[in-house]
Amino acid sequence: MSSINHSSLCRLLPLLLAADCCFAAATTCYGAKVAKATHAETAAPTLLLPDGWRLREGEAFTGVNIREYFFTVEADGAELPPPRIQLSWPGVEIGEVYGGKDVVRTADGVSFLVTAGRTPTGFTTSLPRLGAVQMGIFHNLEGMQAGAYRGKPYPATQIQAQLNYLFAARDMMREMGFADARDAVDGVINLYGFETNFPNGHVDAPPHFHIMLMWNAWKDNHVCHFILDAAGKIVRNDHWVNENGKRNDALSGPRPLGASMDMPDHSGAVRFVLHMLADGSGLEMTVPGKDKQAMIRSDNPAGAVTCYTRPNAAGDWQAVATVTVRDDVAKGLLAVTRDANGRTTREEWRYDPHTGRLLTTTP
């Protein structure tokens, strides 16, 4: 079984991360991050905190990487006002401050009020919803690995493979009619990747991508975690079924290659079925009541993934589009290239690389 758990599942979208970082009712927490103007390995800065405030230790709350210093401060007492901190970072050119306000530049650092209830270390881009389909792109940058990924080789191949699989899956959903109307399911179909920087303690390992059907604000869902090997191919599905906020152990657990997963929505009706190909190269998708079938597969998923369809189970597979994705996290540019019927198209999504917030798109 992978390290993926309910805590990680419930933290996949930034908009759902509203819970305070402190568990004691009589403790107040705030967090922020300070970006470096240039990516580089550096020591952590020095913080000067007001009386009564302390630094919360542990890499889920405080740490430094090639891009930023992030930290969490806490104090005894409920709903205390934001504290002003002084950060000294000699020799480091400071960029933007996230999770703070009233920023004042100093001779060797910066001073500001720490205002975020949770340290803003996640950087995920939510793309505009297509019918019943919502995509969440989890960005990764070499040199920011933490948690389960700290001290290990950067999983560049798996990161590339999950991006290609996700956008090929978007084509698969289009072909099967789920991108046309929100009421195609009683819920939402989420296509998400994984993140390696352990934001707020999010254990998102081993490398994988998600296809899930969920509703009721994350309390009820059917989630496929398609675990990837070193070459980016699928090795199993760590399946999760959550009912009223609790894991259904009878329906959850690892599924081997060759297995099929029914994906019901809030109504209880199975909206689609996913079948893992026995060689780990991809997924087949069927929809109850439809003869048409779809598939995503690749012998080299880190290179590209192709979406196929066929008119029925006896028909021949025909390629719809081959997808290649590039995510330039330093620039905040996500580019999707589709080769279909001899025609190549490219879409670009520009985002804030520190927050993931979508800025512009070029279809």
Side-chain angles (χ1 to χ4, degrees), residues 343-354:
R343 179 171 176 260
T344 299
T345 59
R346 175 184 168 95
E347 62 185 280
E348 293 185 350
W349 306 87
R350 295 187 180 274
Y351 60 91
D352 182 331
H354 283 276

Side-chain angles (χ1 to χ4, degrees), residues 9-22:
L9 178 63
C10 291
R11 298 182 55 260
L12 286 172
L13 271 181
L15 293 179
L16 298 175
L17 303 183
D20 189 89
C21 69
C22 294

Side-chain angles (χ1 to χ4, degrees), residues 137-140 160 163 325-329 332-335 351:
I137 308 304
F138 285 39
H139 304 292
N140 295 279
Q160 185 59 54
L163 288 169
V325 184
R326 294 290 180 265
D327 189 15
D328 189 332
V329 180
L333 175 60
L334 181 73
Y351 60 91

Side-chain angles (χ1 to χ4, degrees), residues 183-207:
D183 60 2
V185 300
D186 189 357
V188 60
I189 300 169
N190 283 335
L191 307 178
Y192 290 165
F194 73 101
E195 56 195 343
T196 58
N197 67 316
F198 197 51
N200 306 120
H202 182 196
V203 179
D204 209 17

